[in-house]
Amino acid sequence: MSSSEQHGRARRRLAAATGAAALTLAAGLVPQQAAAADGDKVLTVAVAQSVDSLSPFLAQRLLSTSIHRLTYEYLTNYDPEDARAVPALATKWTSSPDKLTWTYTIRSDSKWSDGKRTTAEDAAWTFNTMMTDPDAATANGSFVANFREVTAPSPTKLVIELKKPQATMTALDVPIVPKHVWEKVDDYSEFNNDKNFPIVGNGPFILTDYKPDSYVRLKANKDFWRGAPKFDELVFRYYKDQDAAVAALRKGEVSFVSGSPSLTPAQASSLKGEKNIKVNDAPGRRFYALAVNPGARAKNGETFGDGDPSLKDDRVRHALFTAVDRETVIDKVFQGYAVHGEGYIPPRFGSYFWKPSDGQELAYDPAKAARLLDEAGYRKNGDGKRVGKDGKPLDYRVLCHATDPNDKAIGQYLKEWWGELGIGVTLNCVDNVTDPWLAGTYDLAFDGWSVNPDPDFVLSIHTCGALPATPKDTGATDNFICDKRYDELYAKQLAEYDPAKRADLVKQMQSRLYDLGYMNVMAYPNAVEAYRTDQIASITTMPKKAGNIYGQDGYWSWWSATPADPGDSGGSGSTGVVVGIVAGVVVLVGLGAFLALRRRSTAEDRE
């Protein structure tokens, strides 16, 4: 899901658990649970993101939701060829003529890893729990907000009744969990699903071990209905330093590296042409943006945080974005590994892609930006500083990820561009962006999300309904946007089944979001990643012709990955990967615990 996660922001109460340092290993010592069985083929993936939660009800980050795609089945999946809906836990589905009742046939050949059969009751219980417990709806509540009733008349029949038509009924990106395990949970807001292993699931992999800020270990599910993965184990290994992860790839200590979420241009260029390494450079499913704090607020009407009040003026917001040179961002920062940012949905999703009209576009125009600030009452004083009528200068705090080189590089450009306007900029690059983001203690922030083939979720995070119930709660909102017109368009697109009409409504939503000026999409980064061909013989990208490997809308990459024959590659097959686990631990001991990133795809975060 994307989300994206997206820079996915974790729940405030989870930050301490997931961000704490947990590495107390001596150099060269492998934790007993992290050792692979002799002869097992192990695929090790270097990642630059920590897990926010292993609970499907809470997880927002891309890594976490990707793990859930591997360990739990959804009702439907996305075809890796063209992203159309294909059977998963449900083998087929039908709707009533009025589109208010949907009936799913649940497959009879899926079973939980503890041996119990997966039934429609598991799906009904999952949805009903999300419908009745707000904490269980933290991650994916938008999918069930329109559900009237969910029942399981038989083990293979699931019936969902809606309040009104809902176009996402073949794209419900919700992991189905085993009722007999999860019904024992008392508090879904606190249960992270990370204490008792192996975790009971029914996906292509079984989650067998986890160490915060260190690794996630999964074992192939030999009983998976679609067929067992070809690698015996899959390990996600965390690296605080992306250069260290790339170095580990070169040495054969890891099989794959994705970056945070992509490799930097320098890293990608340095790997191209190296023996036994393939760089995958494909159109991405993410956007990279600046988000404005419009004033943090809750559904109950209470406000909180300390966002600069000047940002409530759309002329100020438009001035800031008119002073951003996207071409410089693409050419100098991403060095061509991205395309010009425009609407909210990346061009990869052609039917939903939108771009502003000539008169609407906030093109790079510093003179216009200066005029807008003058009109808003913020003029330069004798020192060249923009000040309001109260004499207070415009000084903005920009929240950024300490581990993301793009944030830091673009932040320096913002200091230059906005400085010429007379605006002060302070980059607040921190290890844990979760707390200031959720508390609303920032002015602007670097943002990004992974977008799913159906864009409903990433659109829903800007609705009024996504705001937290109270300042003490955590909502699904991205940056506290609440706009009546946007909500009206969201409701219309959700109820529209005609693809062309729905796409038009989605474009209108993007246009509205663009005009509001709370989100400035600067770029659509490519999916730039690399893997060792002497360890991975073949792997499925999504889309197949030119797509990403890490963070797919499904489990196709890791499920399909085929181990290379050690005899054809100088013996650096699975043995080298297992050794990489040892090396990875040593690297991490030297670097310290990995940074807790902000909740969601954004990513690097949400799907």
Side-chain angles (χ1 to χ4, degrees), residues 506-544:
V506 170
K507 291 176 181 178
Q508 290 182 50
M509 294 178 69
Q510 294 179 78
S511 179
R512 178 62 177 173
L513 198 61
Y514 189 91
D515 288 342
L516 288 171
Y518 293 122
M519 294 288 295
N520 177 32
V521 176
M522 295 179 287
Y524 307 113
N526 291 6
V528 187
E529 48 204 0
Y531 65 91
R532 294 198 63 92
T533 56
D534 55 355
Q535 294 179 12
I536 302 174
S538 65
I539 193 166
T540 299
T541 60
M542 184 177 185
K544 282 186 177 180

Side-chain angles (χ1 to χ4, degrees), residues 6 92 138 196 295 340 357 397 401 471 502 504 539 550 563 578 582 584:
Q6 313 305 105
K92 60 181 180 179
T138 298
N196 299 312
H340 189 283
S357 62
R397 301 158 299 165
H401 302 80
R502 185 176 181 223
D504 181 66
I539 193 166
Y550 178 75
V578 175
V582 182

Side-chain angles (χ1 to χ4, degrees), residues 189-200:
S189 70
E190 300 290 346
F191 183 69
N192 289 330
N193 197 29
D194 59 0
K195 301 302 180 186
N196 299 312
F197 296 96
I199 302 297
V200 177

Side-chain angles (χ1 to χ4, degrees), residues 13-33:
R13 58 173 62 104
L14 299 178
T18 58
L23 301 177
T24 57
L25 306 175
L29 177 64
V30 182
Q32 182 177 2
Q33 290 177 314

Side-chain angles (χ1 to χ4, degrees), residues 44 237 239 248 251-255 535 574-587:
T44 302
R237 169 68 60 187
Y239 282 82
K251 297 174 184 177
E253 295 169 352
V254 300
S255 314
Q535 294 179 12
S574 61
T575 301
V577 181
V578 175
V579 171
I581 298 173
V582 182
V585 171
V586 176
V587 169

Side-chain angles (χ1 to χ4, degrees), residues 214-358:
S214 181
Y215 64 83
V216 178
R217 177 174 288 278
L218 303 102
K219 181 178 67 175
N221 183 358
K222 303 299 183 181
D223 296 322
F224 184 52
W225 68 269
R226 199 185 289 274
K230 299 175 180 63
F231 275 93
D232 299 298
E233 290 189 320
L234 173 63
V235 176
F236 292 99
R237 169 68 60 187
Y238 307 121
Y239 282 82
K240 176 180 178 179
D241 185 273
Q242 195 162 301
D243 286 331
V246 171
L249 181 76
R250 281 196 173 93
K251 297 174 184 177
E253 295 169 352
V254 300
S255 314
F256 178 97
V257 62
S258 63
S260 62
S262 296
L263 297 178
T264 66
Q267 291 166 344
S269 298
S270 72
L271 290 172
K272 286 185 176 179
E274 286 214 10
K275 183 181 179 181
N276 297 325
I277 291 180
K278 178 178 175 59
V279 175
N280 183 48
D281 178 12
R285 55 181 287 235
R286 300 181 53 76
F287 64 78
Y288 184 87
L290 269 173
V292 172
N293 178 357
R297 50 182 161 171
K299 290 179 184 176
N300 66 358
E302 292 185 53
T303 60
F304 55 98
D306 60 2
D308 195 301
S310 66
L311 293 171
K312 294 180 182 295
D313 191 322
D314 61 356
R315 293 169 297 185
V316 174
R317 299 193 299 269
H318 288 169
L320 293 176
F321 295 160
T322 303
V324 171
D325 185 353
R326 289 175 175 79
E327 295 307 320
T328 294
V329 170
I330 301 300
D331 296 339
K332 302 298 184 181
V333 179
F334 289 100
Q335 296 180 30
Y337 288 94
V339 295
H340 189 283
E342 295 174 305
Y344 199 59
I345 309 297
R348 169 167 158 174
F349 305 102
S351 61
Y352 296 114
F353 178 61
W354 169 89
K355 57 172 54 181
S357 62
D358 291 339

